């Protein structure tokens, strides 16, 4: 019960801050106060507006905001369809009405690391032009009743197996950040048990396949703390307000505090600047600050089993990196991947999954010919830029699409083995 009380106290603090912001804005915006030329009232209203919006967004799932697609001067409606529905996450498809189906069938595996799948909004938009796009849409753990059971790294892997199987053999999988090692394991699981259900290509972007290849602050933290300390500090039980009451989770608000603490000066200055802009009537509802923080502040609770097993099995024990990962007691041999072309993408300035952690996947694919492996390190790119920023749009996306085309459904897998090697590496 003490964990549920802690969860509710944290939610109460968020509610209080949201109420204080709304109250300050309403009070300072009273029409009669306009007769008093006091700039403090304008600053008070601006502070209230920014504060209320910020704390309200923390419990709101962002909308995808992708409603139309324009091609050759014609607008097409975009309908988000649920292809496969499961308790902890759905497989969704961005169906563009009135447009011929694209031959490239891409599954974007979104991370379950505190933010919603909508974090990949710009990635989805960029791929819709040339691909049929599917996304793993993970659910907020606080909304999942305890009757749905647990959800750890093995369950996550089996979810990916089901999603890839649903996609069919002519699909292409792109795993972004955290799910990279588990997507590699899911592909190996299919390679050994259902080879006909394997995807054509697998692209791993900025994922910690081998966290020890290049240590970062994230991996150092995982090494320093014990599992007992981690469970005591990070795990709480969902309070009475939500459907998942009693479920052990790593709360989104706690994750957000960790995110902000890594760059607290930068975030503090960003909010001070936004308050100034609001007070001067220079801000708008969808300006750069609001677009970024509406997404950044929207956090979701993570199942405690998934969080703890990720730290223990992927970071501490390096089960995927050592090729000893098991699902339901059976080892998943990554060397069984023999016909799925694999590409790694890393950012030279990535301080979360540093260069070397993701490319380690290629060494694990011992059964795959060298000409079906590719790697790319993007110079000057950080973690976010390699899948959603300018680096993705200008350089990485064309390389990924080229990799898909050379190993796509248009050519048999045997022909893909003869394709020229396409490796780009930056020291």
């Amino acid at each position: 019960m003490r964990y549920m009380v802690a969860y509710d106290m944290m939610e109460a603090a968020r509610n209080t801050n949201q109420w204080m912001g709304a109250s300050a804005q309403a009070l300072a915006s009273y029409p009669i106060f306009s007769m008093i030329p006091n700039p403090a009232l304008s600053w008070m209203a601006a502070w209230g507006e920014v504060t209320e919006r910020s704390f309200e967004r923390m419990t709101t799932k962002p909308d995808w905001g992708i409603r139309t697609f324009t091609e050759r001067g014609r607008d097409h409606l975009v309908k988000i369809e649920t292809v496969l529905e499961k308790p902890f996450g759905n497989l969704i498809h961005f169906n563009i009405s009135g447009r011929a189906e694209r031959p490239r069938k891409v599954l974007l595996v979104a991370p379950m690391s505190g933010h919603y799948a909508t974090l990949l909004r710009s990635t989805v938009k960029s791929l819709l032009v040339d691909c049929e796009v599917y996304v793993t849409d993970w659910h907020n753990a606080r909304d999942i009743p305890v009757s749905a059971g647990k959800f750890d790294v093995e369950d996550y892997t089996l979810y990916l197996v089901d999603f890839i199987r649903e996609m069919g053999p002519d699909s292409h999988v792109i795993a972004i950040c955290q799910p990279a090692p588990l997507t590699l394991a899911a592909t190996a699981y299919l390679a050994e048990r259902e080879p006909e259900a394997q995807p054509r290509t697998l692209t791993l972007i900025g994922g910690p396949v081998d966290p020890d290849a290049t240590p970062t602050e994230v991996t150092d933290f995982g090494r320093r703390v014990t599992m007992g300390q981690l469970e005591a500090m990070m795990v709480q039980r969902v309070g009475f307000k939500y459907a998942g009451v009693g479920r052990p989770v790593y709360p989104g608000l706690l994750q957000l505090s960790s995110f902000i603490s890594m760059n607290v000066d930068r975030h503090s200055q960003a909010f001070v600047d936004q308050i100034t802009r609001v007070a001067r009537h220079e801000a708008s509802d969808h300006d750069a600050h609001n677009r970024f923080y509406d997404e950044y502040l929207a956090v979701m609770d993570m199942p405690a089993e998934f969080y703890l097993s990720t730290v223990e099995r992927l970071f501490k024990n390096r089960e995927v990196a050592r090729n000893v990962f098991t699902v339901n007691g059976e080892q998943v041999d990554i060397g069984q991947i023999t016909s799925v072309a694999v590409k790694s993408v890393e950012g030279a300035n990535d301080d979360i999954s540093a260069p070397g952690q993701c490319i380690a996947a290629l060494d694990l694919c011992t059964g795959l010919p060298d000409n079906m492996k590719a790697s790319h390190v993007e110079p000057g790119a950080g973690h976010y830029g390699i899948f959603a920023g300018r680096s993705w749009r200008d350089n990485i996306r064309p390389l990924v699409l080229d990799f898909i085309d050379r190993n796509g459904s248009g050519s048999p897998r045997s022909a893909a083995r003869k394709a020229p090697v396409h490796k780009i590496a930056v020291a």
Side-chain angles (χ1 to χ4, degrees):
M1 283 297 294
R2 64 188 180 95
Y3 290 115
M4 295 173 67
V5 170
Y7 189 98
D8 282 341
M9 287 179 63
M10 193 163 52
E11 177 64 16
R14 187 204 62 79
N15 275 337
T16 301
N17 281 282
Q18 181 182 341
W19 170 79
M20 290 175 61
S23 300
Q25 182 186 11
L27 180 63
S29 301
Y30 241 74
I32 194 171
F33 289 151
S34 61
M35 301 171 59
I36 306 172
N38 189 343
L41 293 172
S42 298
W43 284 91
M44 180 179 175
W47 175 87
E49 178 180 332
V50 174
T51 301
E52 189 274 337
R53 184 184 183 114
S54 300
F55 283 93
E56 191 274 335
R57 290 296 184 271
M58 293 178 187
T59 57
T60 304
K61 181 179 180 179
D63 187 76
W64 280 99
I66 305 175
R67 296 176 178 83
T68 60
F69 173 81
T70 303
E71 183 182 43
R72 297 177 182 177
R74 179 184 175 187
D75 285 344
H76 302 268
L77 293 178
V78 178
K79 182 180 180 182
I80 301 177
E81 301 175 338
T82 300
V83 178
L84 186 61
E85 187 173 359
K86 298 173 77 68
F88 288 87
N90 296 342
L91 175 64
I92 61 175
H93 174 219
F94 289 82
N95 185 16
I96 301 178
S97 61
R99 188 187 77 168
E101 184 176 350
R102 291 294 188 263
R104 300 187 187 100
K105 199 174 181 182
V106 173
L107 169 62
L108 276 178
V109 182
M112 181 188 278
S113 55
H115 288 101
Y116 292 92
T118 51
L119 189 68
L120 304 182
R121 183 184 296 105
S122 61
T123 316
V124 172
K125 285 182 178 179
S126 68
L127 290 173
L128 279 177
V129 179
D130 305 293
C131 311
E132 293 295 326
V133 181
Y134 296 73
V135 180
T136 58
D137 189 21
W138 305 110
H139 298 162
N140 195 332
R142 72 181 178 214
D143 300 322
I144 306 172
V146 294
S147 58
K150 68 173 183 64
F151 189 79
D152 59 14
V153 289
E154 293 188 18
D155 299 307
Y156 188 105
T157 304
L158 293 175
Y159 265 51
L160 295 183
V161 168
D162 290 341
F163 291 155
I164 296 173
R165 184 190 295 117
E166 182 70 23
M167 292 281 294
D170 288 331
S171 60
H172 305 272
V173 179
I174 302 176
I176 295 175
C177 188
Q178 166 262 326
L182 296 180
T183 308
L184 183 67
T187 304
Y189 185 95
L190 285 171
E192 189 170 1
R193 293 162 179 80
E194 299 178 58
E196 69 282 354
Q198 297 177 89
R200 291 282 175 173
T201 67
L202 173 61
T203 302
L204 308 175
I205 300 180
V209 176
D210 184 1
D212 282 2
T214 312
T216 64
E217 184 178 342
V218 176
T219 59
D220 289 343
F221 174 78
R223 287 290 183 189
R224 289 196 307 268
V225 299
T226 66
M227 294 307 300
Q229 291 173 327
L230 207 61
E231 185 172 3
M233 291 188 300
M234 303 300 185
V235 174
Q236 298 177 2
R237 292 186 181 273
V238 177
F240 294 96
K241 183 178 178 180
Y242 299 102
V245 53
R247 174 177 291 281
V249 297
Y250 178 20
L253 294 179
L254 202 57
Q255 297 175 61
L256 181 60
S257 65
S258 299
F259 298 155
I260 292 178
S261 66
M262 295 176 67
N263 294 286
V264 63
D265 293 337
R266 177 183 174 185
H267 292 299
S268 299
Q269 189 60 49
F271 279 94
V272 170
D273 293 343
Q274 181 67 1
I275 292 171
T276 302
R277 284 191 290 266
V278 173
R280 294 175 177 174
H281 305 288
E282 297 173 357
S284 64
D285 192 50
H286 298 288
D287 58 24
H289 177 93
N290 287 330
R291 287 200 308 271
F292 176 78
Y293 280 101
D294 283 354
E295 191 73 50
Y296 188 82
L297 296 176
V299 287
M300 56 187 288
D301 294 351
M302 193 187 308
E305 312 89 23
F306 177 76
Y307 172 66
L308 295 174
S309 60
T310 295
V311 174
E312 183 176 22
R313 299 183 61 177
L314 301 187
F315 283 83
K316 286 184 175 291
N317 298 339
R318 299 173 55 246
E319 291 187 16
V320 172
R322 296 188 296 117
N323 199 20
V324 294
F325 185 72
T326 58
V327 174
N328 293 334
E330 298 182 10
Q331 183 177 350
V332 178
D333 183 8
I334 298 173
Q336 294 294 321
I337 299 176
T338 58
S339 59
V340 180
V342 179
K343 180 184 183 72
S344 70
V345 176
E346 298 174 318
N349 296 342
D350 192 339
D351 58 353
I352 296 178
S353 293
Q357 294 188 14
C358 192
I359 198 175
L362 302 185
D363 292 332
L364 293 172
C365 297
T366 55
L368 197 63
D370 286 342
N371 59 358
M372 294 187 68
K373 301 177 183 179
S375 64
H376 175 70
V377 179
E378 181 67 18
H383 187 71
Y384 188 79
I386 56 177
F387 65 86
R390 179 179 299 177
S391 295
W392 162 261
R393 295 191 301 270
D394 295 346
N395 301 326
I396 299 173
R397 175 183 168 275
L399 291 175
V400 171
L401 292 181
D402 177 66
F403 178 73
I404 287 174
D405 290 341
R406 289 186 299 103
N407 299 279
S409 57
S411 58
R413 294 181 190 267
S414 58
R417 291 192 178 93
K418 299 178 183 179
V421 182
H422 183 66
K423 293 187 179 182
I424 301 177
V426 177

